[in-house]
Every structure is written in structure tokens, then in C-alpha cells.
């Protein structure tokens, strides 16, 4: 990482224990069931990134309950990849996408095609290896190695070394939001290339889209899934985000999955909506 990015990691590590306040309105979605039952029913708020993790809510459950599911999926998928069990691997991938509420039909078709041809385990293992090696240009051919909101979860859970994070639109939004705060405090006049964390648009709700674009002033962050080589760009974000969170994990003793979960909660809604 660049010296400036290392400084950002040090700044961000301090936000784990405190000095970070963020809030937004929650909805009636099932994903907020656990939070509404245990905290304020209408407003999500945190006072630190560790507090954001404490208030994690997804699929109606807290972080620990979700982690149990992810650990089960990870163990099953990793076993399938070791054994070359394509049908089992495909079933694991579908379970992971269902957990993540990913509805992308093209991804399911990609998995089914490779499962039927007996190439799925080899392809998934190749994608994981490419990400860990930083060979993201391979993802510019999505028929070869696919990267999107569904497969980032699959690759992360399929990696037995836990080196790859789930980089989705919410995690990217949170990283961009925090990066903009850091750069503003530093007086940086433009967005350094290595800080170009990409964010993802929310699904359309009755209230419209949730505001997840962290762009402010001179800091313009690009959206995932837009333009040429979007799969390769998303893969770049997985690599960049994974390196940053690994550094944070080493500094704080907090696991990468916990950092990822805290950022996921922050990125649900940003100021300015």
C-alpha cells in the first residue's frame, strides 16, 4: 500500500473503538427485524465501527447468527472445491447467493452451465487464485471469470485462507465515505487513484434508492457495474479492499469478516439523501 493509504489505515483503525458517528432511518424490511426488536425501531445509529458491528442486522438476524450460516457455507464450499464435487459446489453457491439476497439470473445460469460441464470447481478455484495473486485482468472476460455482487461472496467464502473480503456496494460506499473524511482532514485537493473505492447503487424501494454515493467536493467515486471492464474493476476492488482490511485486522486484532460487516452496516445509507 502507498504511504497515504497506510496513513488512512492507521486513521481508520482508531475509528474501531470510537470517534465515529453515523445514523440513518431503517425500513420495515425483514433484514431489520433483529435490529428493530433490540434497538430503536426507526433509526440505526453507531458511535464507533465496533458499535456498527454490534448493531449488524441482516436476514432478520444479528452478526453471530449470520456468521454461523457463513461458516457452514464456507466449510461446505471449500470441501466441494477440494473434492472437485461440481454439483455440491453449485448447491453451495446457490445457498450463498440466497443468503445474500442476490437475484442475478445470469450468475445462476453461469454457475449452472459450469456445473453441468464439470468445470465449476476448477473455475471457482481459478478465480480465487487470480484474486489472491492480484491478476484481476482475467475478470475482464466474464464468460471466463465472473465478478459481481454474487460471486464476490462465493469467492470470499471459498477461500480457505480468509484473504478475500466480500466487496459489495455497501462496503464500497462505506470505504469511500470514510476515505473522503480522511482526505478532507488531510487537505488533499483531489482523489488519489488508490483511494478510488467503488460503490454500488441500492435496489429501488418505495422511498427511492438509498443514498450510497460517497462523492463529495473534489472526491468523485465511481459506481460498480458501470462502463467497460466492469468485472475487472470489481475484482480490483476486492483485491484493494482485502489488502486494506488485512492491514486493519493486523493492527486491531479484529477479524476481516468483522471489519467487512461493520462497513456493510455503515454503507447502507450515507448523508446527503
Amino acid at each position: 500500500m502507498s504511504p497515504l493509504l497506510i496513513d488512512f489505515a492507521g486513521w481508520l483503525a482508531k475509528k474501531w473503538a470510537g470517534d465515529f458517528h453515523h445514523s440513518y432511518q431503517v425500513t420495515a424490511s425483514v433484514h431489520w427485524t433483529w435490529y428493530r426488536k433490540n434497538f430503536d425501531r426507526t433509526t440505526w445509529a453507531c458511535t464507533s465501527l465496533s458499535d456498527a458491528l454490534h448493531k449488524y442486522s441482516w436476514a432478520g438476524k444479528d452478526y453471530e447468527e449470520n456468521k454461523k450460516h457463513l461458516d457452514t457455507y464456507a466449510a461446505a464450499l471449500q470441501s466441494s472445491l477440494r473434492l472437485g464435487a461440481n454439483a455440491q459446489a453449485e448447491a453451495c453457491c446457490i445457498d450463498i447467493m440466497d443468503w445474500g439476497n442476490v437475484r442475478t439470473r445470469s450468475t445462476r445460469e453461469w454457475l449452472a452451465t459450469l456445473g453441468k460441464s464439470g468445470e465449476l470447481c476448477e473455475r471457482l478455484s481459478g478465480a480465487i487464485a487470480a484474486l489472491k495473486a492480484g491478476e484481476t485482468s482475467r475478470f475482464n472476460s466474464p464468460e471466463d471469470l465472473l465478478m459481481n455482487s454474487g460471486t464476490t461472496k462465493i469467492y470470499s467464502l471459498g477461500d480457505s485462507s480468509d484473504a478475500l473480503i466480500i466487496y459489495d456496494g455497501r462496503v464500497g460506499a462505506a470505504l469511500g465515505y470514510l476515505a473522503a473524511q480522511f482526505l478532507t482532514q488531510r487537505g488533499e485537493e483531489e482523489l488519489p487513484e488508490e483511494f478510488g473505492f467503488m460503490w454500488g447503487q441500492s435496489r429501488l424501494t418505495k422511498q427511492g434508492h438509498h443514498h450510497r454515493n460517497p462523492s463529495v467536493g473534489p472526491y468523485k467515486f465511481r459506481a460498480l457495474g458501470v462502463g467497460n471492464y466492469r468485472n475487472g474493476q470489481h475484482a480490483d476492488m476486492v483485491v484493494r479492499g482485502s489488502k486494506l482490511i488485512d492491514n486493519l485486522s493486523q493492527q486491531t486484532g479484529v477479524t476481516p469478516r468483522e471489519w467487512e460487516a461493520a462497513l456493510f452496516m455503515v454503507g447502507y445509507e450515507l448523508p446527503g439523501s
Side-chain angles (χ1 to χ4, degrees):
M1 300 195 303
S2 70
L4 189 60
L5 203 54
I6 291 172
D7 286 349
F8 174 54
W11 178 88
L12 193 53
K14 295 176 182 177
K15 301 296 181 184
W16 186 260
D19 190 30
F20 177 73
H21 295 261
H22 187 57
S23 65
Y24 47 76
Q25 297 299 301
V26 302
T27 69
S29 166
V30 66
H31 295 299
W32 291 109
T33 303
W34 178 84
Y35 181 80
R36 292 196 306 269
K37 180 179 178 181
N38 291 275
F39 297 96
D40 185 289
R41 291 179 178 272
T42 59
T43 302
W44 184 93
C46 70
T47 57
S48 66
L49 288 173
S50 60
D51 191 35
L53 175 67
H54 178 59
K55 294 172 179 173
Y56 179 94
S57 188
W58 179 254
K61 303 177 180 66
D62 66 358
Y63 174 75
E64 291 301 329
E65 284 299 311
N66 275 285
K67 186 176 182 299
K68 290 178 183 177
H69 287 292
L70 293 186
D71 288 347
T72 298
Y73 299 148
L77 180 56
Q78 290 167 25
S79 174
S80 300
L81 296 181
R82 286 194 301 271
L83 297 172
N86 289 283
Q88 182 179 337
E90 182 183 349
C92 290
C93 292
I94 296 302
D95 284 342
I96 291 167
M97 290 179 63
D98 286 343
W99 168 82
N101 196 28
V102 178
R103 305 171 187 172
T104 314
R105 181 177 178 180
S106 59
T107 303
R108 294 173 185 260
E109 292 175 346
W110 182 78
L111 293 168
T113 298
L114 292 173
K116 185 176 181 180
S117 67
E119 301 174 83
L120 182 59
C121 288
E122 181 180 358
R123 197 70 60 88
L124 294 180
S125 295
I128 292 167
L131 289 169
K132 291 170 71 173
E135 298 171 352
T136 58
S137 62
R138 291 190 59 190
F139 291 84
N140 288 331
S141 299
E143 66 278 1
D144 178 23
L145 298 181
L146 187 63
M147 175 59 77
N148 55 33
S149 62
T151 57
T152 185
K153 298 171 176 62
I154 292 168
Y155 301 147
S156 177
L157 295 175
D159 173 29
S160 59
S161 70
D162 294 326
L164 303 174
I165 66 164
I166 296 174
Y167 190 107
D168 67 0
R170 286 170 61 164
V171 170
L175 285 172
Y177 176 58
L178 288 157
Q181 292 185 28
F182 169 77
L183 294 168
T184 297
Q185 289 182 22
R186 291 284 293 248
E188 298 293 329
E189 296 182 355
E190 60 183 17
L191 182 69
E193 189 281 329
E194 68 269 30
F195 280 78
F197 299 107
M198 300 178 76
W199 57 280
Q201 182 66 273
S202 73
R203 289 178 182 163
L204 185 63
T205 68
K206 292 180 180 179
Q207 295 76 34
H209 291 289
H210 297 296
H211 181 69
R212 293 182 182 166
N213 185 350
S215 299
V216 59
Y219 314 129
K220 306 300 182 184
F221 296 89
R222 293 179 297 161
L224 289 165
V226 177
N228 296 329
Y229 307 115
R230 56 184 178 269
N231 284 271
Q233 291 168 352
H234 195 156
D236 285 337
M237 293 301 104
V238 171
V239 173
R240 183 179 302 180
S242 296
K243 289 180 179 178
L244 174 62
I245 289 183
D246 177 66
N247 182 291
L248 290 168
S249 181
Q250 292 183 45
Q251 287 191 60
T252 60
V254 177
T255 69
R257 191 69 73 202
E258 289 170 332
W259 269 101
E260 169 199 296
L263 293 169
F264 177 80
M265 294 308 298
V266 171
Y268 175 79
E269 182 94 44
L270 302 182
S273 57

